[in-house]
Amino acid sequence: MTNKVTVLGSLNVDTTLRIKRMPQPGETLQTENKSSAAGGKGANQAVAAARAGAETSFIGKIGKDSAGQFMVESLKDDHIDTSSIATDETVGTGSAFILLDEEGQNSILVYGGSNQQVQKAEVEAAEDKIKNADFLIAQFETPQAAAIEAFKIAKANGVTTILNPAPAATIDPELLKYSDIVTPNETESATLTGIEVTDEASMVANAEKFAEMGVKNLIITVGSKGAFYSTAAGHDFVPAFTVKAVDTTAAGDTFIGALSSQLKPDLSNIADALVFAQRASSITVQRLGAMPSIPTYDEIIAASK
């Protein structure tokens, strides 16, 4: 059965600057290459879900500009329902500037733009998209107040909610009350719980802390090492696949989108879904760019053989 995934999130035009190494404060470096592509955590996650086989809808906001139209068309290219993307008349479309070094590591500067203007009204207008989904995903590149409203609608209609608390920020406790699964990386998890992630025992301690905050299910992604999960049925660590990383941009977003495409709403297949998501992410890091690097279902399956 095909999962239905709705993503509430950001739409950014990404500009990537390729450099030999990261600059020091006050230093000027030449860039070796410059390219632009569709991105934003929300858009990346939606594309990853769609390419991995999910029926995907998007809730977000663009500016009244060519960048916004470019973002909408980019999502449509992956057969994503864009009818719940609103237009802001006063603020431009979000953008991100990515510094990418020769080791494949990146530093990212983000201009929120219209992403920061997503309001309760946009969420309410997209109520049907939320009600009819199996999963609703939100991140922190759009306001938490909008995510709370969306998650409330989801929970009232039996929809499983996934909160990707990235980039790291202080979480409104009310949002956690409506979050079924929280998916931080190890740094974000430590920021939110105050417990440093160093080993499995510390991951279990993070899960216990999130449970105290109201979230019963936790997935911590640990870069090239793999992912830890904790649910009512138990906890385990799923190792990542060893590959040569070229560009880590969108690796985490690919992971979450791919996961949502395969996960059962009762989480009964979480270990298998995590392996699928790790495989998808391992393909993404071997390619340049955010959205262009996200694999299709067929590519993920082929890599599994």
Side-chain angles (χ1 to χ4, degrees), residues 9-206:
S10 54
L11 298 149
N12 291 332
V13 175
D14 290 346
T15 299
T16 300
L17 303 172
R18 298 202 70 189
I19 52 180
K20 284 187 179 296
R21 57 175 176 78
M22 293 298 163
Q24 300 298 314
E27 183 182 21
T28 300
L29 291 180
Q30 290 289 332
T31 61
E32 303 192 336
N33 199 349
K34 174 188 173 185
S35 59
S36 292
K41 296 195 76 63
N44 292 338
Q45 290 170 14
V47 167
R51 289 185 188 169
E55 189 180 315
T56 310
S57 300
F58 198 90
I59 305 167
K61 207 164 197 179
I62 55 171
K64 195 174 182 180
D65 48 33
S66 59
Q69 289 308 307
F70 170 68
M71 289 306 306
V72 170
E73 293 306 318
S74 296
L75 295 189
K76 284 182 178 177
D77 286 346
D78 280 289
H79 311 291
I80 293 167
D81 184 336
T82 61
S83 59
S84 293
I85 296 177
T87 301
D88 192 285
E89 299 287 332
T90 57
V91 180
T93 299
S95 56
F97 299 89
I98 301 159
L99 299 178
L100 176 65
D101 71 16
E102 287 183 338
E103 302 300 312
Q105 291 303 308
N106 59 34
S107 294
I108 304 174
L109 304 169
V110 177
Y111 164 66
S114 53
N115 296 313
Q116 295 301 318
Q117 305 303 314
V118 177
Q119 309 288 335
K120 185 176 176 180
E122 278 87 48
V123 172
E124 289 173 340
E127 188 170 343
D128 284 349
K129 302 285 186 344
I130 298 170
K131 284 181 177 178
N132 293 324
D134 296 303
F135 292 95
L136 172 65
I137 304 172
Q139 335 73 32
F140 285 168
E141 288 185 345
T142 48
Q144 290 188 39
I148 290 169
E149 191 62 31
F151 276 25
K152 281 181 179 177
I153 295 169
K155 294 314 302 165
N157 290 279
V159 177
T160 302
T161 54
I162 300 176
L163 177 64
N164 175 219
T170 304
I171 299 188
D172 186 321
E174 190 176 11
L175 181 55
L176 289 175
K177 284 196 297 189
Y178 295 102
S179 299
D180 291 313
I181 309 167
V182 64
T183 61
N185 63 25
E186 73 270 38
T187 307
E188 292 154 357
S189 192
T191 298
L192 297 169
T193 63
I195 302 167
E196 191 179 350
V197 175
T198 53
D199 55 14
E200 191 158 333
S202 63
M203 293 180 196
V204 171
N206 270 263

Side-chain angles (χ1 to χ4, degrees), residues 247-290:
D247 181 2
T248 56
T249 310
D253 297 332
T254 299
F255 177 90
I256 288 162
L259 177 75
S260 70
S261 77
Q262 304 301 308
L263 190 61
K264 292 179 180 174
D266 65 1
L267 313 189
S268 59
N269 69 333
I270 189 165
D272 289 341
L274 283 170
V275 170
F276 181 90
Q278 295 273 27
R279 181 70 75 186
S281 190
S282 76
I283 296 170
T284 293
V285 301
Q286 294 178 74
R287 303 169 171 176
L288 285 174

